[in-house]
Amino acid sequence: MELNIRRVLVQCEDTFEEGAVRVETPLRKAAVIFVVENPLAGTVGADLSPLIEASVDLGRKVGAKLVEVMAGFEVQGYGKGALVGLAGEQEHANALLTTVFANPVREAIGGGEAWISSFQKVAAPGTVIDIPMNHKDEVYVRSHYDGITVMVPGGPKADEVAVIFCASSGRRLNWRVGGMTHEEVLARKAKATQG
């Protein structure tokens, strides 16, 4: 099965100041949204394996678009989610967001060892969704707990799924809750490769 992509939307923000912190290089947060026709819309309890198989190619396209939107910014955090039109099931989104979808995205952005925060729901057109994000290599890096609020204008239609993948270029600017740092994760990874 090949998924019919109806629309691709991009949301991107660069933050230079938050609270008491101002930076020269902004924190970039981006979301890429692929609105696809839901071939299982109107069904109940259908076999999800065709969606899972089709999600691999979708993951490649999402990964390429995300790299384009991040435009040279390192990806340190990520998250995924979906809005399913009213004729679909939440499981239709879950089938499109499994590891086989995520691995091509990981490959495109240069890895990602941590599980990817995820949220999906059945929704009417114009519904807002908050996509949670965490550090791409270690979920316990508190400075990278973040999220993006996404809305698809006029979508998803009843027979659509809006598949969303988000990325951030670093920690929240005003973070101060302690815990493991991005630099400690990099040092641990370097030591593991040497040893």
Side-chain angles (χ1 to χ4, degrees), residues 3-177:
L3 294 169
N4 177 26
I5 298 169
R6 291 182 172 167
R7 292 195 286 165
V8 176
L9 298 89
V10 170
Q11 178 178 318
C12 184
E13 68 178 69
D14 289 341
T15 303
F16 290 88
E17 185 173 297
E18 182 180 330
V21 177
R22 175 141 187 102
V23 292
E24 290 296 316
T25 303
L27 169 65
R28 173 160 290 185
K29 293 189 342 187
V32 295
I33 304 121
F34 278 63
V35 180
V36 301
E37 180 181 354
N38 182 355
L40 300 181
T43 67
V44 177
D47 177 15
L48 299 175
S49 57
L51 282 182
I52 295 170
E53 291 166 15
S55 74
V56 176
D57 187 54
L58 182 63
R60 287 188 196 101
K61 291 173 180 166
V62 167
K65 190 67 175 179
L66 189 62
V67 168
E68 177 187 319
V69 173
M70 290 301 285
F73 281 83
E74 176 189 11
V75 173
Q76 291 185 16
Y78 56 22
K80 62 184 178 176
L83 292 164
V84 183
L86 296 175
E89 300 176 33
Q90 185 177 358
E91 286 307 296
H92 298 163
N94 281 301
L96 290 170
L97 293 171
T98 68
T99 304
V100 299
F101 159 80
N103 283 342
V105 180
R106 284 182 168 108
E107 187 176 315
I109 65 172
E113 297 176 12
W115 56 268
I116 306 171
S117 293
S118 181
F119 181 58
Q120 54 297 128
K121 62 183 177 180
V122 176
T127 297
V128 171
I129 186 169
D130 291 321
I131 306 296
M133 293 192 296
N134 55 268
H135 192 280
K136 73 173 185 156
D137 292 314
E138 174 57 69
V139 296
Y140 296 110
V141 179
R142 293 184 208 137
S143 59
H144 286 61
Y145 295 163
D146 209 340
I148 297 181
T149 301
V150 174
M151 189 270 293
V152 179
K157 294 179 180 164
D159 67 340
E160 293 178 336
V161 179
V163 176
I164 306 158
F165 204 99
C166 305
S168 69
S169 64
R171 61 182 63 106
R172 298 181 315 278
L173 296 186
N174 203 23
W175 77 282
R176 53 194 188 279
V177 294

